[in-house]
Amino acid sequence: MTELEKGPQGLRRGRGARERIISASQQLFRDQGINRTGMDQLCAVAQVSKRTAYQHFTNKDELVAEYLRRFDPGVTAGVFDRTDLTPRERLLAVFEPPRGKEGLTPLCPYIAASVELHDPEHPASQYARDYKSTIAARLADTAREAGAADPEQLGEQLALLLDGAAARTRVLNTESFPTAAAIAAVLIDNAIPTTARERVNTTVG
Amino acid sequence: MTELEKGPQGLRRGRGARERIISASQQLFRDQGINRTGMDQLCAVAQVSKRTAYQHFTNKDELVAEYLRRFDPGVTAGVFDRTDLTPRERLLAVFEPPRGKEGLTPLCPYIAASVELHDPEHPASQYARDYKSTIAARLADTAREAGAADPEQLGEQLALLLDGAAARTRVLNTESFPTAAAIAAVLIDNAIPTTARERVNTTVG
DNA sequence: CGTTAGGCACACAGCTCGGTGTACTTAATG
DNA sequence: CATTAAGTACACCGAGCTGTGTGCCTAACG
């Protein structure tokens, strides 16, 4: 433990290089964007030598893809597993903004990557596509559970609302998730036949 | 007219430099993104010398701002002035995708600029904000005309749908405006009291 | 015809970026 | 202790970027 923190010159932080790189990319890509974050700065923040970084990731592109893959293992996704909520409540809870500590909801990194990279063939863009499809599918599953007449349609609609809120929050610099939530409430109530809704209400409340 | 097309060496296209620069930026910034388009390439496409470009625009930033300002003086905006449609039809017509010749609707350049520039203080980002507010306001006006109970809310909601469709089309590489249009129809019918709706229907049809 | 504003070619400065080469040091494992 | 995997320091390359400096040209206008 003598020299765990610092070596004779500079950083010297030891074995966890890869994790530090990824966690630095989480911070920097989100705060500054991908294109505006150079590998030099990223390595400095990660306290990792550039050489090491390029032994873990052959490209910056590959790092970007891994950054997306390792993003958020359970913020939005976690809502779907909450058993304390009815399916309908779960669908609405998705629109509670992730709230980055304070201030506005940061732009969904999948949208940001797609726009910044500007290449649908980029591995990160492909992953973004997959992720968005997955979210829509999970929304559809929950919609089905809630008794929606056309669950796939409702899932796609709610996904669109999420993306709209994210994009609009970024452009306007104003929180837009409440607006999306209001729309979601309307859509959900419109999609669930009264019979099913009443059944749930009597079951839960 | 002898040497209007070409001079002794290279380009030599004459007086309309500024317009050519802007129109080249329309094409390139849309197709490649702002950050991935260098001034060299832009000048080559515009058939303008770099020196001339920098005499018209002190910065690339300033050019980007002007590019947004000069964008689309009437595609989406034009719908609002169509007197052959009822207010309700106008609100729905906004969701007819601009359809870039063929293929997907290109990402709204205001969103693209906000994300790419990544600086809310950038003049282009500020203009994007203004533009989005204006669109929402015009939607609200039309909503009021259509007899909506809460026109401002409906305007903001429809604006969110537009942005969601734009963002999602880009990320998924799949046209999302029809989904947005479907939501819009629900919201509009939900926001307009039956009395007002019937009045319009009997008047028009 | 002469003036001049607008445009041109071209080289280049200065910077940042992604990525590599080399030789060294440390920490864990057997 | 010896080996080896992981990391480090630092210089460097080539490319691309924004932005200038300089001198020349020519089309339009009075």
Side-chain angles (χ1 to χ4, degrees):
Chain A
M1 202 160 296
T2 46
E3 303 203 338
L4 230 169
E5 295 293 326
K6 252 198 163 190
Q9 319 137 330
L11 329 169
R12 189 61 46 130
R13 283 294 230 99
R15 286 285 145 115
R18 188 184 179 93
E19 291 307 310
R20 292 205 305 280
I21 294 169
I22 291 179
S23 110
S25 73
Q26 305 279 0
Q27 175 201 326
L28 293 176
F29 289 162
R30 200 208 299 275
D31 293 351
Q32 310 182 344
I34 295 170
N35 290 330
R36 299 186 112 73
T37 300
M39 290 300 282
D40 283 313
Q41 184 194 7
L42 197 148
C43 291
V45 169
Q47 286 183 295
V48 155
S49 81
K50 220 160 130 189
R51 208 74 193 79
T52 301
Y54 278 100
Q55 266 148 15
H56 283 285
F57 307 95
T58 66
N59 282 341
K60 185 182 180 181
D61 288 333
E62 198 183 285
L63 171 59
V64 172
E66 186 66 11
Y67 145 75
L68 269 200
R69 271 182 235 116
R70 294 280 300 269
F71 178 79
D72 185 16
V75 168
T76 299
V79 179
F80 292 111
D81 299 322
R82 288 184 58 178
T83 51
D84 58 324
L85 300 178
T86 65
R88 183 179 176 283
E89 286 169 335
R90 262 175 275 156
L91 289 178
L92 284 172
V94 175
F95 292 87
E96 298 290 330
R99 284 234 155 270
K101 285 161 188 174
E102 53 172 312
L104 299 175
T105 311
L107 176 60
C108 156
Y110 307 95
I111 299 178
S114 292
V115 175
E116 280 205 83
L117 302 175
H118 217 277
D119 172 16
E121 306 305 312
H122 192 292
S125 302
Q126 295 181 7
Y127 182 77
R129 218 149 45 223
D130 293 348
Y131 181 88
K132 288 291 177 190
S133 302
T134 305
I135 291 293
R138 297 209 69 173
L139 286 166
D141 289 344
T142 311
R144 185 174 298 107
E145 228 183 310
D150 188 339
E152 269 73 24
Q153 190 192 26
L154 183 56
E156 181 65 25
Q157 290 178 341
L158 296 180
L160 187 145
L161 292 181
L162 284 173
D163 290 342
R168 205 158 169 77
T169 299
R170 170 65 146 268
V171 176
L172 288 182
N173 233 17
T174 306
E175 192 59 69
S176 292
F177 276 85
T179 300
I183 305 176
V186 173
L187 291 182
I188 292 169
D189 287 344
N190 242 292
I192 301 178
T194 5
T195 56
R197 218 182 313 159
E198 275 163 359
R199 179 160 43 76
V200 168
N201 282 345
T202 46
T203 305
V204 173
Chain B
M1 205 162 287
T2 46
E3 302 202 339
L4 229 169
E5 294 293 325
K6 250 197 166 192
Q9 320 140 329
L11 329 167
R12 189 61 47 130
R13 284 293 233 99
R15 288 287 145 114
R18 188 184 178 94
E19 291 308 310
R20 290 204 307 279
I21 295 169
I22 291 179
S23 110
S25 74
Q26 304 279 1
Q27 176 202 325
L28 293 176
F29 288 163
R30 199 210 296 278
D31 293 352
Q32 310 183 342
I34 295 169
N35 291 330
R36 298 186 112 72
T37 300
M39 290 300 282
D40 282 314
Q41 184 194 6
L42 198 149
C43 291
V45 169
Q47 288 184 294
V48 155
S49 82
K50 222 159 125 190
R51 208 71 194 80
T52 301
Y54 278 99
Q55 264 148 16
H56 282 285
F57 306 95
T58 65
N59 282 340
K60 184 182 181 182
D61 287 334
E62 197 184 287
L63 171 59
V64 172
E66 185 67 10
Y67 145 75
L68 270 200
R69 272 182 234 115
R70 293 281 299 269
F71 179 80
D72 187 15
V75 168
T76 299
V79 179
F80 292 112
D81 299 323
R82 290 184 57 178
T83 51
D84 58 324
L85 300 178
T86 65
R88 183 178 177 282
E89 287 169 334
R90 261 175 275 155
L91 288 178
L92 284 172
V94 174
F95 291 88
E96 298 291 330
R99 284 236 155 270
K101 285 160 188 171
E102 53 173 311
L104 299 175
T105 310
L107 177 60
C108 156
Y110 305 95
I111 299 178
S114 292
V115 175
E116 281 206 81
L117 302 175
H118 217 277
D119 172 17
E121 306 304 313
H122 192 293
S125 302
Q126 295 182 6
Y127 182 76
R129 219 149 44 225
D130 293 347
Y131 181 88
K132 288 291 177 191
S133 303
T134 304
I135 292 292
R138 298 209 67 173
L139 285 168
D141 289 344
T142 310
R144 185 175 298 107
E145 228 183 310
D150 188 339
E152 268 74 24
Q153 189 192 25
L154 183 56
E156 182 65 25
Q157 289 178 342
L158 296 181
L160 187 144
L161 293 180
L162 284 174
D163 290 341
R168 205 158 170 76
T169 299
R170 169 66 144 267
V171 176
L172 288 183
N173 231 18
T174 306
E175 191 59 67
S176 293
F177 275 85
T179 300
I183 304 176
V186 173
L187 291 182
I188 292 170
D189 287 344
N190 241 290
I192 302 178
T194 2
T195 56
R197 216 183 312 161
E198 276 163 0
R199 180 159 45 73
V200 169
N201 282 344
T202 45
T203 307
V204 174

